[in-house]
Short mmCIF file of all heavy atoms in Angstrom, two decimals:
data_model
loop_
_atom_site.label_atom_id
_atom_site.label_comp_id
_atom_site.label_asym_id
_atom_site.label_seq_id
_atom_site.Cartn_x
_atom_site.Cartn_y
_atom_site.Cartn_z
N GLY B 156 -9.24 35.98 -12.74
CA GLY B 156 -8.65 36.63 -13.90
C GLY B 156 -8.44 38.13 -13.77
O GLY B 156 -7.69 38.72 -14.55
N GLY B 157 -9.11 38.74 -12.82
CA GLY B 157 -9.08 40.19 -12.73
C GLY B 157 -7.76 40.74 -12.22
O GLY B 157 -6.84 39.98 -11.92
N PRO B 158 -7.65 42.05 -12.21
CA PRO B 158 -6.43 42.70 -11.74
C PRO B 158 -6.25 42.50 -10.24
O PRO B 158 -7.23 42.33 -9.52
CB PRO B 158 -6.69 44.18 -12.05
CG PRO B 158 -8.18 44.32 -12.03
CD PRO B 158 -8.72 43.02 -12.52
N LYS B 159 -5.00 42.45 -9.84
CA LYS B 159 -4.72 42.26 -8.41
C LYS B 159 -4.68 43.63 -7.73
O LYS B 159 -3.90 44.50 -8.13
CB LYS B 159 -3.35 41.58 -8.23
CG LYS B 159 -3.19 40.30 -9.02
CD LYS B 159 -4.24 39.27 -8.66
CE LYS B 159 -4.23 38.10 -9.65
NZ LYS B 159 -5.58 37.54 -9.87
N LEU B 160 -5.51 43.80 -6.73
CA LEU B 160 -5.41 45.03 -5.94
C LEU B 160 -5.48 44.69 -4.46
O LEU B 160 -5.66 43.54 -4.08
CB LEU B 160 -6.47 46.06 -6.37
CG LEU B 160 -7.87 45.61 -6.76
CD1 LEU B 160 -8.69 45.43 -5.50
CD2 LEU B 160 -8.52 46.67 -7.63
N GLU B 161 -5.34 45.70 -3.64
CA GLU B 161 -5.27 45.48 -2.19
C GLU B 161 -6.43 44.61 -1.70
O GLU B 161 -7.57 44.83 -2.10
CB GLU B 161 -5.34 46.84 -1.47
CG GLU B 161 -4.24 47.80 -1.87
CD GLU B 161 -2.88 47.25 -1.47
OE1 GLU B 161 -2.79 46.74 -0.33
OE2 GLU B 161 -1.95 47.29 -2.29
N PRO B 162 -6.15 43.69 -0.80
CA PRO B 162 -7.18 42.77 -0.30
C PRO B 162 -8.44 43.49 0.18
O PRO B 162 -9.56 43.10 -0.18
CB PRO B 162 -6.48 42.06 0.85
CG PRO B 162 -5.05 42.10 0.50
CD PRO B 162 -4.83 43.37 -0.28
N GLU B 163 -8.26 44.53 0.95
CA GLU B 163 -9.46 45.19 1.50
C GLU B 163 -10.26 45.84 0.37
O GLU B 163 -11.48 45.73 0.31
CB GLU B 163 -9.07 46.25 2.52
CG GLU B 163 -8.15 45.73 3.62
CD GLU B 163 -6.89 46.56 3.66
OE1 GLU B 163 -6.99 47.79 3.44
OE2 GLU B 163 -5.80 46.00 3.87
N GLN B 164 -9.56 46.52 -0.50
CA GLN B 164 -10.25 47.13 -1.64
C GLN B 164 -10.97 46.07 -2.46
O GLN B 164 -12.12 46.24 -2.86
CB GLN B 164 -9.23 47.85 -2.53
CG GLN B 164 -8.97 49.28 -2.14
CD GLN B 164 -8.26 50.02 -3.26
OE1 GLN B 164 -8.19 49.54 -4.40
NE2 GLN B 164 -7.73 51.19 -2.95
N MET B 165 -10.24 44.99 -2.70
CA MET B 165 -10.79 43.89 -3.47
C MET B 165 -12.10 43.42 -2.85
O MET B 165 -13.13 43.32 -3.52
CB MET B 165 -9.76 42.73 -3.46
CG MET B 165 -10.11 41.58 -4.32
SD MET B 165 -9.75 41.92 -6.05
CE MET B 165 -9.23 40.30 -6.60
N ARG B 166 -12.01 43.15 -1.57
CA ARG B 166 -13.19 42.65 -0.86
C ARG B 166 -14.35 43.64 -0.98
O ARG B 166 -15.48 43.27 -1.28
CB ARG B 166 -12.84 42.44 0.61
CG ARG B 166 -13.96 41.82 1.43
CD ARG B 166 -13.50 41.44 2.83
NE ARG B 166 -14.55 40.71 3.52
CZ ARG B 166 -15.58 41.30 4.10
NH1 ARG B 166 -15.70 42.61 4.07
NH2 ARG B 166 -16.52 40.58 4.71
N GLU B 167 -14.04 44.90 -0.78
CA GLU B 167 -15.06 45.94 -0.82
C GLU B 167 -15.73 45.97 -2.20
O GLU B 167 -16.95 45.98 -2.32
CB GLU B 167 -14.39 47.28 -0.52
CG GLU B 167 -15.33 48.38 -0.14
CD GLU B 167 -14.52 49.66 0.13
OE1 GLU B 167 -13.29 49.53 0.35
OE2 GLU B 167 -15.11 50.75 0.08
N GLN B 168 -14.89 45.98 -3.23
CA GLN B 168 -15.41 46.05 -4.60
C GLN B 168 -16.29 44.84 -4.93
O GLN B 168 -17.39 44.98 -5.44
CB GLN B 168 -14.24 46.11 -5.60
CG GLN B 168 -13.51 47.43 -5.61
CD GLN B 168 -14.31 48.49 -6.32
OE1 GLN B 168 -14.99 48.19 -7.29
NE2 GLN B 168 -14.29 49.72 -5.81
#
Side-chain angles (χ1 to χ4, degrees):
Chain B
K159 307 301 169 214
L160 38 83
E161 302 296 316
E163 307 124 37
Q164 272 195 13
M165 186 79 145
R166 184 171 187 280
E167 197 180 341
Q168 288 285 324

